[in-house]
Amino acid sequence: MSKEVFFSGETVDLDAMLRAREERGLRQLHLLKEYSDSSLLSVTMNIPGPVKTSPKLLETFDWVIKAIRQTLANHTILYQLRLLPKTGYEYYLVTSLSSQDLKLKMMALETDTIIGRLMDLDVLTLKNGLPHPISRTALGEAPRKCFICSKEAKVCGRLRQHSVDDMQTAIANLLYSFSTTKTSASHKIGPAYEENNYDKNPYNRNGFT
């Protein structure tokens, strides 16, 4: 399957990405202050290059959301928000589960699913008044590995070890493998949520309707 199938969305420029990052930080800060006694999960996809969205990527993203909800089925979910900007999909969840336990569950989900390396499942806390993700190493786990060479992902990113074309090809291969196994996995996870099940207001406490 051609990789263009997975990267068929709109292109975005650096300014748009920087604005999206700033807005995401403000949204995270608001939620951490609003739900100061709870834990915040922020979910994005790790997609290199100027195209961050597509129908295939959204299908994968929604499957992950459903998997997260299944993982947290025995815990209270206080708030959820799903956003679909062209700068990359975003999902926020607030739960009564402790931040450490939430991070452990998300690390397991990243490890146990074939597409785990493509997802950023960040559990955030306030540090010096700003959102700060709990690292894997803080909980005694090894840093995340690159999905191309299996070296430490942050090192590869900092040194730009791989071209965008190579990374997109690797992602397309992962997504294709995922699509061929998703049917059996979906019997356990269930179908992805429909569009109208998600709250569009980033400051609405009600989350899903």
Side-chain angles (χ1 to χ4, degrees):
M1 184 180 292
S2 170
K3 73 175 184 180
E4 282 70 26
V5 173
F6 299 100
F7 301 99
S8 59
E10 295 183 63
T11 60
V12 294
D13 58 24
L14 179 59
D15 286 343
M17 290 302 300
L18 292 175
R19 287 195 301 273
R21 180 183 298 179
E22 181 180 3
E23 291 170 2
R24 186 160 59 248
L26 291 172
R27 189 174 294 111
Q28 292 166 348
L29 180 60
H30 173 88
L31 290 172
L32 285 168
K33 290 181 176 180
E34 184 77 5
Y35 297 94
S36 58
D37 296 327
S38 304
S39 300
L40 172 63
L41 173 66
S42 176
V43 180
T44 55
M45 296 188 79
N46 182 18
I47 305 297
V51 175
K52 305 296 184 182
T53 61
S54 73
K56 287 292 186 182
L57 291 176
L58 180 57
E59 186 178 315
T60 302
F61 188 74
D62 280 346
W63 190 93
V64 171
I65 290 176
K66 181 61 178 176
I68 291 169
R69 286 174 54 83
Q70 184 79 1
T71 299
L72 300 177
N74 295 325
H75 303 280
T76 301
I77 295 176
L78 303 171
Y79 175 94
Q80 294 179 85
L81 173 67
R82 170 182 175 268
L83 298 173
L84 308 178
K86 66 180 182 179
T87 48
Y89 307 128
E90 303 175 26
Y91 174 66
Y92 303 88
L93 178 147
V94 177
T95 177
S96 59
L97 189 65
S98 73
S99 57
Q100 179 171 314
D101 287 341
L102 178 59
K103 180 62 178 179
L104 289 170
K105 287 181 179 295
M106 293 303 102
M107 287 193 300
L109 187 58
E110 288 174 344
T111 302
D112 293 343
T113 57
I114 191 172
I115 55 170
R117 292 185 183 185
L118 305 184
M119 306 302 302
D120 287 328
L121 309 181
D122 292 331
V123 177
L124 300 161
T125 60
L126 278 178
K127 185 175 182 179
N128 297 324
L130 296 173
H132 182 77
I134 298 175
S135 68
R136 296 172 62 91
T137 55
L139 299 182
E141 295 291 330
R144 294 185 72 177
K145 294 182 179 180
C146 170
F147 50 74
I148 293 181
C149 67
S150 294
K151 294 180 180 178
E152 187 175 338
K154 286 186 177 180
V155 173
C156 283
R158 185 170 64 249
L159 299 178
R160 298 188 177 183
Q161 295 278 44
H162 311 292
S163 69
V164 170
D165 185 66
D166 286 345
M167 288 188 286
Q168 288 181 337
T169 298
I171 289 171
N173 289 336
L174 276 175
L175 291 175
Y176 178 73
S177 296
F178 171 69
S179 68
T180 60
T181 60
K182 185 176 59 175
T183 301
S184 59
S186 293
H187 291 306
K188 298 179 182 179
I189 299 297
Y193 276 83
E194 297 296 333
E195 176 78 10
N196 60 9
N197 283 341
Y198 294 92
D199 175 28
K200 296 299 186 299
N201 185 346
Y203 304 118
N204 187 333
R205 296 189 183 197
N206 296 326
F208 283 65
T209 57

